[in-house]
Amino acid sequence: MEQRIYNVMKGAGATNIAIGVITLVVGLVTGILLIVAGAKLTAGKSKILF
């Protein structure tokens, strides 16, 4: 009985770590893409006419 509980807890912990790493990577990539897009907009602001 205790072995089953341990295995379930181990699986839940591994899943939480995997989801945390994936969330971290997606956040970093999104942030980098937003910075690059903002830099492109700032660099091309002289070409924008309203």
Side-chain angles (χ1 to χ4, degrees):
M1 183 68 174
E2 293 176 9
Q3 183 69 24
R4 281 188 4 194
I5 293 171
Y6 176 76
N7 286 337
V8 169
M9 290 176 64
K10 185 172 72 170
T15 302
N16 286 335
I17 290 173
I19 291 173
V21 169
I22 291 170
T23 303
L24 182 67
V25 169
V26 168
L28 285 173
V29 169
T30 303
I32 291 169
L33 289 174
L34 287 171
I35 290 171
V36 169
K40 285 183 180 180
L41 284 173
T42 302
K45 70 180 179 181
S46 62
K47 299 175 186 175
I48 298 174
L49 298 175
F50 287 102

